[in-house]
Amino acid sequence: MSNKAKGKKLDEIVIDNMLISMMEKIFDPIPVPIILIGKNTEVIMINQIFADFLGYPKEQIIGKKVLDVDRNSRFPYVFKNKKAEIAWKHKFENGHTAIVHRIPVLDENGEVLYGFGMVLFQDVEEFKDIIQKNKLLESELSLYKTQLKEIQGAKYSWENIVGESEKILQAKYLAAKAAQTNSNVLLLGKSGTGKELFAHAIHNASNRSHYPFVKVNCAAIPQELLESELFGYEEGAFTGAKKGGKVGKFELANGGSIFLDEIGDMPFKMQAKLLRVLQEKEVERIGSNSPKSIDVRVIAATNQNLEELVAKGQFREDLYYRLNVMSIYIPSLQERKEDIEILAYKLLEKLSNGMGKYVKKISPKTLEYLRGHNWPGNVRELENVLERAINLTDSDTILPVHLPMYITQRTVTKGEGPLRPLKEIIEETEIEVIKRVLERTKGNKQKTAKILNISRSSLYDKIERYGLE
């Protein structure tokens, strides 16, 4: 290196040190914990109040990897994802739970230069006190509005319904058409196929999207409570009735949509009352003699065959035809296996972000097993299998060894793949173990070979064979 280059490098170091020294002078008096992380996740600067909060002298923190200071830190994930985490609840290694910011600072090429961290509230109780002082929970009315918003919001849109198979595209096409009308919609399909996703998307794509979206699971509410849940009651209507009465779900959904899930489980007596609401477009609370007009679009869903229930006398025929204006069948995962790969990767992204693990790949053999399974639990089962796999893997790739045995070691039946060869199982296990030890030794092959009790040449052969460089 030339003297000029050396001088330039030295100048940069001096400037960096001056900048850090200046930042310490600025941030140390501030009574808010602040930390600056380098691009390799080393601690560059921390103010005194943060060092005291962590329980270490500053000189013991500076230069250390952030995970060595707090093993629960999510800064490595923030650097990997390049997305800020604002007002996150975080439990530090010392037991404190706080509300924090984690912000990656990027250069003009989008690469991470630094990470900036700040503790907004040093414990959750402090956060709650601030909320109360600002009167965010001032009255029952504000709490009621918050709860109402939670039950009214339709969270999903067409983008959340993943797949390119003909059957799922046909279902989306029909649903999009239904969204442009005010007609009732009946969603049919097995459990776990995504009927609720379709209900959300239909509401969000309709002219009712700015009005409430209210969900009711007809199978989850006891029969004796279902009428009061759906239609509400007046004060004093029965023993134990709340003072002031209660607004029913249909009134809450006025102007918007109500999603009646598991409609096939609705008691026969209630079916007659629901039919009247659909015909007359009005509801009457229990204990009231004055009906109220409502404007609600009903989106119903069931995994049962309603025509069979009608034939058995278990579901009203007139109600069935009233609901079955726009009937949409949601295909099972077994009927659209060509969507499994794209679905798996979409779910993997969602789960990885939620769990804070950098799992981004699925090996070709793993995908083969996923496509070979029948998926009786549909998309919900696939999501559970992937969540389990993410918990098991120590790398960024899901391998067959991370799948449940009922998927990888199924018996040979018509239409399914063969049992796994022993050689394949051994190779996958070798790959996973070598990866794990290399990560632990930070790529030191001599230490890795010693831990695995194999020669270095044998380790190099396996690394080259499995493409683990």
Side-chain angles (χ1 to χ4, degrees):
M1 183 184 291
S2 67
N3 289 333
K4 186 176 180 181
K6 287 180 180 177
K8 186 178 180 182
K9 189 72 175 177
L10 184 61
D11 288 345
E12 290 175 354
I13 294 171
V14 170
I15 291 170
D16 282 347
N17 287 336
M18 288 176 61
L19 181 61
I20 291 168
S21 176
M22 182 177 68
M23 290 176 68
E24 285 181 337
K25 289 178 182 177
I26 294 171
F27 289 126
D28 253 349
I30 296 176
V32 177
I34 294 170
I35 192 169
L36 187 68
I37 308 295
K39 63 182 178 181
N40 296 315
T41 74
E42 75 280 8
V43 179
I44 295 176
M45 188 280 296
I46 186 169
N47 65 353
Q48 190 61 53
I49 190 172
F50 205 165
D52 294 341
F53 177 76
L54 294 173
Y56 298 107
K58 283 174 64 174
E59 56 271 16
Q60 288 186 19
I61 298 175
I62 302 295
K64 277 191 173 182
K65 296 285 188 182
V66 70
L67 287 176
D68 293 334
V69 178
D70 175 26
R71 64 183 175 186
N72 298 329
S73 175
R74 285 176 55 87
F75 262 112
Y77 179 71
V78 168
F79 281 14
K80 186 90 173 178
N81 210 31
K82 298 179 183 178
K83 289 183 180 178
E85 294 182 343
I86 304 299
W88 276 57
K89 183 178 177 182
H90 178 74
K91 186 170 184 179
F92 287 89
E93 193 174 348
N94 59 14
H96 290 299
T97 299
I99 306 298
V100 304
H101 287 340
R102 304 181 193 91
I103 303 170
V105 180
L106 309 179
D107 63 16
E108 62 274 8
N109 298 317
E111 298 302 317
V112 174
L113 286 175
Y114 301 102
F116 179 77
M118 176 189 295
V119 176
L120 278 75
F121 302 100
Q122 296 185 35
D123 60 63
V124 175
E125 291 305 315
E126 181 186 359
F127 180 51
K128 291 178 181 177
D129 288 343
I130 295 294
I131 292 175
Q132 290 171 347
K133 286 175 184 176
N134 284 279
K135 298 182 179 180
L136 294 178
L137 300 177
E138 186 178 15
S139 65
E140 288 186 10
L141 180 60
S142 64
L143 180 60
Y144 171 78
K145 285 181 179 178
T146 302
Q147 292 174 337
L148 188 59
K149 186 177 179 181
E150 289 176 359
I151 65 173
Q152 287 179 350
K155 299 181 288 184
Y156 308 112
S157 61
W158 303 125
E159 288 72 26
N160 298 108
I161 303 172
V162 178
E164 298 174 355
S165 64
E166 185 179 343
K167 288 188 176 181
I168 198 68
L169 291 178
Q170 174 70 6
K172 287 176 72 171
Y173 171 79
L174 290 174
K177 287 293 186 183
Q180 302 309 310
T181 73
N182 283 315
S183 299
N184 297 327
V185 179
L186 180 60
L187 301 172
L188 304 170
K190 296 179 180 177
S191 294
T193 51
K195 295 188 291 295
E196 185 171 339
L197 281 180
F198 272 84
H200 282 252
I202 289 169
H203 175 79
N204 270 333
S206 73
N207 58 9
R208 298 174 176 267
S209 59
H210 297 297
Y211 292 90
F213 176 78
V214 178
K215 299 174 289 184
V216 180
N217 188 321
C218 300
I221 302 173
Q223 181 174 343
E224 61 274 12
L225 298 179
L226 188 57
E227 182 176 1
S228 62
E229 281 293 314
L230 291 178
F231 309 130
Y233 57 78
E234 297 289 353
E235 181 177 342
F238 50 83
T239 304
K242 286 170 59 177
K243 186 177 180 181
K246 180 180 177 180
V247 180
K249 302 294 189 191
F250 269 90
E251 283 187 66
L252 288 175
N254 195 26
S257 308
I258 188 166
F259 176 47
L260 300 179
D261 200 8
E262 308 292 356
I263 190 71
D265 292 304
M266 178 174 281
F268 201 80
K269 178 183 174 184
M270 279 301 303
Q271 292 175 27
K273 296 188 176 183
L274 174 59
L275 178 64
R276 183 180 179 279
V277 170
L278 297 182
Q279 289 174 334
E280 306 298 330
K281 296 191 180 301
E282 60 183 26
V283 293
E284 190 173 308
R285 294 187 186 184
I286 298 174
S288 173
N289 294 319
S290 54
K292 294 184 178 181
S293 296
I294 56 165
D295 172 24
V296 175
R297 188 241 284 276
V298 173
I299 305 173
T302 182
N303 58 9
Q304 301 186 60
N305 188 323
L306 291 186
E307 289 184 355
E308 286 185 3
L309 294 181
V310 168
K312 294 176 182 177
Q314 297 173 0
F315 199 86
R316 292 183 64 105
E317 185 176 17
D318 44 8
L319 176 59
Y320 170 65
Y321 288 116
R322 179 68 67 172
L323 292 172
N324 194 29
V325 178
M326 291 290 291
S327 176
I328 302 168
Y329 175 71
I330 316 300
S332 66
L333 201 49
Q334 187 178 5
E335 296 174 89
R336 55 183 189 112
K337 288 197 171 182
E338 59 266 50
D339 288 333
I340 285 178
E341 182 172 351
I342 187 174
L343 257 174
Y345 272 106
K346 191 71 176 178
L347 290 169
L348 189 65
E349 180 184 4
K350 168 192 161 187
L351 292 166
S352 296
N353 289 337
M355 297 165 69
K357 290 191 73 173
Y358 324 130
V359 184
K360 301 296 181 186
K361 301 175 187 174
I362 305 173
S363 75
K365 191 65 180 178
T366 306
L367 284 171
E368 187 180 323
Y369 280 115
L370 294 180
R371 283 191 287 261
H373 184 55
N374 284 330
W375 300 108
N378 291 295
V379 180
R380 193 177 295 136
E381 182 187 0
L382 176 60
E383 184 170 359
N384 290 342
V385 166
L386 291 173
E387 183 174 350
R388 174 187 186 273
I390 292 170
N391 281 317
L392 291 177
T393 184
D394 289 319
S395 69
D396 66 348
T397 305
I398 292 179
L399 300 173
V401 72
H402 304 131
L403 299 178
M405 290 180 64
Y406 73 85
I407 292 178
T408 58
Q409 297 184 4
R410 58 187 182 273
T411 55
V412 181
T413 59
K414 186 178 180 181
E416 293 189 324
L419 289 166
R420 299 175 66 201
L422 179 61
K423 181 175 181 293
E424 181 185 300
I425 297 171
I426 292 172
E427 285 181 350
E428 286 167 0
T429 305
E430 272 193 344
I431 291 170
E432 187 65 21
V433 170
I434 292 171
K435 274 187 174 181
R436 193 179 305 171
V437 178
L438 280 170
E439 288 173 3
R440 188 186 303 171
T441 63
K442 298 180 179 177
N444 189 312
K445 297 180 178 64
Q446 185 174 351
K447 287 183 180 178
T448 299
K450 187 175 181 181
I451 291 172
L452 295 174
N453 196 24
I454 59 175
S455 66
R456 285 174 61 185
S457 61
S458 177
L459 176 63
Y460 278 105
D461 287 343
K462 293 179 186 294
I463 287 173
E464 183 178 357
R465 188 195 321 157
Y466 298 137
L468 298 178
E469 280 291 358

